[in-house]
Amino acid sequence: MTINSHQNSAADMMGLLTQLWPLHRTLNCDDMDQALDMCGAYLNDNRWRIHEYPARSDVYTWWIPERYHVNEAWLEINGERVADFKENPLHLLSYSLPIDFDGKLGDIKNHLWTSKIRPDAIPWEFKYYERSWGFCLADNLLSKFDNDASARAVIDVEFREVPFRLGEIYLPGETAKDVMFLTNICHPMQVNDSIAGLVVALEMVKILAREKNRKYGFRVLVVPETIGTLAWISNHEKEFSKVNYAWFCEMVGFDNPFHLQHSRQGADAVIDRAFLIVLKGYRQHGAEKVGSFREVEASDEMITNGPGFDIPTPSLTRWPYDEYHTSDDNPSITKPQNLKEALDVFLELWSVLENNYYPQRRFKGPVMLSRYGLWVDWRTNKELNLATEKLMLLLEGNNSLIDIAYELNLPFSEIHGYLEKFREAGLIAISDQPWVGLAP
């Protein structure tokens, strides 16, 4: 029942991640065009679409940022170049305003960012909308100089009226119900935040594209964080209205257990329960951790699961990690097998959703299991043997297979296989939705 990842998936995902990593992937910039083209080439699918939206145009309460073009940006202290955009785009505060400064270091200290937690790393800071100017550099480097040191800073940048771009691919299903995989492609010169989730999503598209008879449509957005998802939804509300479930993924390449952040609906939602039953089988780095909505790490789930939409949207990460928002978040802390483990989670999750249904009993009283070949030998499967009576009580038509597997703490595949025998015996009828108000 589970769709298996390709044997080359791990290497392919790591290859794309490594290519995307060094690019200056801020909201609207030249390197973002290159990154989106790389994603399209990776998919090699004519359903890949690039959408463009005018700079400074409104999307709900937000506005689209201009194209940010950097000609040069550097900082010298006592004649030593301590930050240079050409060496690492993290050195420049994202969307920094232009500046030409010549004076004392102490006069610009409030425009310099360092990380005390990672003193040898370059932190990442941004001022997309409330703009300022500044540089980011290693704390151990900056600490060598006192406030009387001479400082020379040049930031030569342009804000251009070039359209904002994002990527999308959609695999249609046989029903009017869709699943949406949210990813981010922004955060320059960083990997787990957030392109680790992106490469998993794109590889999943390639695998599902080979599957026939998909019940759900599958849509992946490849967007800069927040503004990209808002821009797409505001221009595609009709398509978005078909989304039943969404999820967000990033930070899955390093050696931590999975961390599931619940949707706003919590464990009462079918998609949350599906994640919980699937994750039990993926504990390469220990048992999964679970947190409430917006408790783990905030991202685009606040849009799809937020005001006006409220589509159940869990997120899957391996949060937290010390390298977050620094130059230390690079391919060296990322392992192909961790990306593949995340991919396998989502492929099994997809299979669970595709095979889920709502069973309703066509019997009264407890079933004579042995008459229908349904008795489970306690010596070979004690857990299912003990669960059979409770299972019969969950067949009133308001519980899906996912709900039943969650309530009984049993694998979905086992519940599905067992209830398929009930169906073959005419003991249950099935529906893709709860039986409330449906004819028996």
Side-chain angles (χ1 to χ4, degrees):
M1 182 173 63
T2 301
I3 302 169
N4 295 317
S5 57
H6 192 274
Q7 60 180 356
N8 295 327
S9 290
D12 290 347
M13 288 186 290
M14 192 68 189
L16 177 60
L17 180 144
T18 303
Q19 291 175 0
L20 291 169
W21 164 61
L23 297 178
H24 178 224
R25 290 171 284 102
T26 194
L27 300 187
N28 184 355
C29 66
D30 298 338
D31 275 9
M32 187 63 78
D33 292 346
Q34 185 179 348
L36 289 170
D37 289 345
M38 287 179 178
C39 293
Y42 185 82
L43 289 170
N44 191 27
D45 191 311
N46 59 16
R47 289 169 288 197
W48 171 250
R49 295 285 182 270
I50 296 292
H51 300 283
E52 295 188 350
Y53 306 105
R56 302 293 302 183
S57 61
D58 290 328
V59 287
Y60 300 127
T61 65
W62 292 65
W63 52 267
I64 297 289
E66 311 95 317
R67 172 66 56 99
Y68 188 57
H69 181 78
V70 181
N71 294 312
E72 63 173 330
W74 49 266
L75 170 67
E76 292 180 350
I77 305 176
N78 284 348
E80 179 182 347
R81 186 155 296 193
V82 295
D84 193 335
F85 176 85
K86 290 181 180 179
E87 291 186 3
N88 191 317
L90 294 183
H91 277 306
L92 178 63
L93 175 76
S94 283
Y95 272 77
S96 174
L97 295 169
I99 190 71
D100 192 330
F101 173 84
D102 193 351
K104 297 295 184 182
L105 179 60
D107 294 332
I108 62 169
K109 275 289 186 71
N110 60 339
H111 290 279
L112 304 181
W113 281 265
T114 66
S115 171
K116 299 294 184 182
I117 299 174
R118 312 287 296 185
D120 292 316
I122 307 166
W124 178 59
E125 298 289 342
F126 54 91
K127 293 287 183 180
Y128 295 144
Y129 301 103
E130 297 179 357
R131 289 175 183 160
S132 180
W133 69 270
F135 290 94
C136 302
L137 63 158
D139 189 72
N140 282 342
L141 180 57
L142 182 61
S143 64
K144 297 193 311 181
F145 306 98
D146 59 32
N147 287 342
D148 290 329
S150 63
R152 179 85 172 94
V154 171
I155 300 176
D156 180 4
V157 296
E158 301 171 46
F159 295 85
R160 299 175 174 176
E161 296 294 314
V162 176
F164 171 81
R165 303 174 83 228
L166 59 87
E168 175 212 9
I169 187 165
Y170 178 64
L171 306 180
E174 295 178 338
T175 69
K177 300 177 181 179
D178 289 345
V179 174
M180 177 176 280
F181 195 138
L182 295 168
T183 73
N184 291 159
I185 193 173
C186 53
H187 297 27
M189 209 91 180
Q190 294 157 86
V191 167
N192 283 283
D193 189 15
S194 51
I195 55 174
L198 166 63
V199 299
V200 170
L202 296 186
E203 184 66 15
M204 185 171 177
V205 170
K206 291 171 67 175
I207 293 170
L208 292 188
R210 298 192 290 265
E211 295 293 314
K212 301 185 185 301
N213 305 317
R214 293 180 300 269
K215 179 169 69 175
Y216 285 99
F218 185 59
R219 191 181 304 276
V220 173
L221 298 185
V222 180
V223 299
E225 187 172 6
T226 304
I227 190 61
T229 302
L230 285 166
W232 186 88
I233 294 176
S234 69
N235 286 275
H236 297 87
E237 286 193 353
K238 181 179 180 180
E239 293 91 335
F240 185 65
S241 67
K242 294 172 57 181
V243 176
N244 276 36
Y245 310 114
W247 57 67
F248 182 82
C249 176
E250 63 182 3
M251 307 179 189
V252 290
F254 49 88
D255 288 343
N256 276 3
F258 284 120
H259 203 158
L260 175 69
Q261 177 180 268
H262 272 303
S263 71
R264 188 175 172 188
Q265 287 76 8
D268 290 336
V270 168
I271 186 63
D272 291 69
R273 292 184 168 193
F275 265 105
L276 289 169
I277 61 178
V278 166
L279 282 172
K280 290 177 183 178
Y282 297 91
R283 292 174 169 174
Q284 178 176 308
H285 300 296
E288 66 281 356
K289 297 181 287 184
V290 180
S292 301
F293 185 65
R294 305 295 283 179
E295 177 183 276
V296 180
E297 172 56 17
S299 196
D300 289 18
E301 70 280 346
M302 183 58 185
I303 302 170
T304 53
N305 216 160
F309 306 119
D310 208 18
I311 304 299
T313 310
S315 70
L316 188 67
T317 66
R318 297 186 194 270
W319 176 264
Y321 66 114
D322 291 341
E323 299 87 353
Y324 174 72
H325 276 197
T326 75
S327 56
D328 287 342
D329 185 1
N330 57 55
S332 71
I333 67 166
T334 306
K335 295 181 180 177
Q337 62 265 33
N338 293 337
L339 300 174
K340 186 176 183 300
E341 186 186 32
L343 173 63
D344 288 338
V345 167
F346 285 113
L347 289 175
E348 182 166 346
L349 185 73
W350 175 265
S351 293
V352 166
L353 292 174
E354 285 281 285
N355 289 280
N356 191 40
Y357 57 73
Y358 288 80
Q360 188 181 61
R361 62 178 173 81
R362 292 294 179 264
F363 59 86
K364 293 181 179 180
V367 174
M368 183 181 178
L369 298 176
S370 58
R371 178 177 180 178
Y372 298 95
L374 292 169
W375 182 74
V376 179
D377 192 332
W378 60 269
R379 286 160 295 211
T380 58
N381 193 338
K382 183 178 180 181
E383 290 77 12
L384 184 57
N385 172 279
L386 293 174
T388 52
E389 289 188 354
K390 187 174 181 181
L391 182 147
M392 291 183 218
L393 300 174
L394 296 173
L395 302 178
E396 297 300 315
N398 58 329
N399 294 299
S400 71
L401 298 192
I402 291 172
D403 298 319
I404 295 169
Y406 175 79
E407 292 292 338
L408 299 181
N409 195 27
L410 289 171
F412 179 88
S413 59
E414 192 160 58
I415 294 299
H416 179 269
Y418 191 54
L419 285 179
E420 281 294 286
K421 296 178 181 178
F422 272 69
R423 182 158 70 126
E424 291 166 4
L427 295 170
I428 60 170
I430 69 170
S431 170
D432 282 338
Q433 57 184 314
W435 283 84
V436 178
L438 298 180

